[in-house]
Amino acid sequence: MEPGEKTPNTVDEEFKDKSEEEYDQENEDIGREAIDKLYSDIKTQIETYNKRLVELNKLLDITIETRLALDNFETKYRNPEGERINGSDERLSKSEKNAREQKDKIGDEKRANREKSRKRIVIAVLGLLVAGGVIAFLIQYIQNKEPKPTDQFTQQDVDDAKAIIEKWKSLSDDQLWENIASYADGYNPSLQTQMLMMGYIKNWANTSDFTWDATDKADLIDKLKDAYEIENKSSAIYRTVEKTTYKNTKLPRSIAADLCELALADLLAQSQEDSDDNSN
């Protein structure tokens, strides 16, 4: 990301001027960086699995059912499982409303660009060069559903995918958020892609019971938006949430990702309002 470069709002803006060759090369670079930073101790396993995924990508067609499942997963806002909120706050209600509306808008983007965004997220987070069928498996596994091997997706493929997800869960939050901040600085993903990423992280993280007040949650969303506005870059959101505590305790990963998702939704909504005002 060049100094002063504006973060695109939508996945269409993010990928419209990028050739397939540029996209593929960036994916390789992002995946290599993720493996070196996060998975160096299982580097050989991931690289072997990625070679297998290149072949799987050719074999695993995305069925209509898979497309619908991915669409539903990516375009619906969900509070973290295990979260309990006391009281109410108008700011939090507005943020959640924005999140639902922005998720709907993501569903309106071109499918080809949403698929590019989806693949990039899994590469940046897991270092995996995946297609929709493999992503659907990962979602099923993380949601405690046990997909069965198929003619193409063998038991070894299943076991490798599980091992990598479990490794991701074992990463420290400092490692996770710093990696995402570096990705945001280096590749300038759209706010929509970042919202999608937070949705994946929120649902991939182990569920924790967590109770807090609506006003406290709204205050932290504002804190993340302020960090973005002060530094004029989205990586500030992740470096801020990495250091954020609640009652002297680090935030659970799913809660932190939810805060980021809500802050990004507010930023998107504000940008769209500003654009509408300027066009009138």
Side-chain angles (χ1 to χ4, degrees), residues 19-169:
S19 70
E20 292 297 326
E21 291 77 13
E22 290 174 316
Y23 173 75
D24 290 341
Q25 183 59 58
E26 283 187 353
N27 285 351
E28 288 187 21
D29 294 340
I30 293 167
R32 191 180 308 110
E33 290 171 15
I35 292 170
D36 289 343
K37 288 179 182 177
L38 305 179
Y39 306 106
S40 58
D41 56 336
I42 59 169
K43 182 175 181 177
T44 300
Q45 181 179 358
I46 291 184
E47 289 177 344
T48 299
Y49 190 40
N50 272 332
K51 290 177 182 177
R52 168 68 175 144
L53 288 176
V54 171
E55 299 303 315
L56 277 175
N57 288 348
K58 300 174 184 176
L59 298 173
L60 289 174
D61 293 330
I62 304 182
T63 65
I64 293 176
E65 290 77 12
T66 300
R67 288 186 188 278
L68 291 174
L70 290 170
D71 285 347
N72 182 62
F73 180 81
E74 293 175 345
T75 62
K76 305 294 182 186
Y77 171 74
R78 298 169 178 83
N79 294 96
E81 290 186 27
E83 181 188 47
R84 301 291 180 269
I85 299 176
N86 294 324
S88 61
D89 189 291
E90 289 185 3
R91 293 172 298 160
L92 178 57
S93 297
K94 183 177 180 181
S95 293
E96 291 179 339
K97 178 176 181 290
N98 284 337
R100 290 190 293 271
E101 291 176 350
Q102 294 305 320
K103 287 284 195 174
D104 283 341
K105 290 180 184 293
I106 288 172
D108 294 334
E109 297 295 305
K110 294 176 182 176
R111 184 175 294 279
N113 285 332
R114 281 198 288 129
E115 290 177 355
K116 286 183 176 180
S117 176
R118 177 186 302 145
K119 291 178 183 179
R120 177 147 293 184
I121 288 165
V122 181
I123 291 167
V125 175
L126 298 175
L128 295 181
L129 303 168
V130 296
V134 180
I135 295 172
F137 164 79
L138 295 173
I139 291 172
Q140 286 180 305
Y141 170 62
I142 294 161
Q143 292 178 333
N144 297 317
K145 298 175 183 176
E146 192 69 28
K148 296 179 180 179
T150 65
D151 290 341
Q152 292 85 24
F153 203 74
T154 67
Q155 185 62 53
Q156 186 61 55
D157 298 322
V158 170
D159 293 342
D160 285 343
K162 288 180 179 180
I164 293 165
I165 287 292
E166 291 306 313
K167 175 63 179 177
W168 177 82
K169 288 182 177 181

Side-chain angles (χ1 to χ4, degrees), residues 215-233:
T215 297
D216 293 333
K217 184 171 183 177
D219 286 344
L220 289 185
I221 294 169
D222 285 344
K223 179 180 178 181
L224 297 184
K225 291 187 291 186
D226 288 345
Y228 176 91
E229 297 293 349
I230 290 169
E231 297 194 29
N232 196 31
K233 57 182 183 179

Side-chain angles (χ1 to χ4, degrees), residues 258-272:
D258 185 60
L259 287 175
C260 294
E261 187 175 22
L262 291 167
L264 290 162
D266 283 349
L267 292 169
L268 268 169
Q270 185 60 56
S271 178
Q272 290 157 2

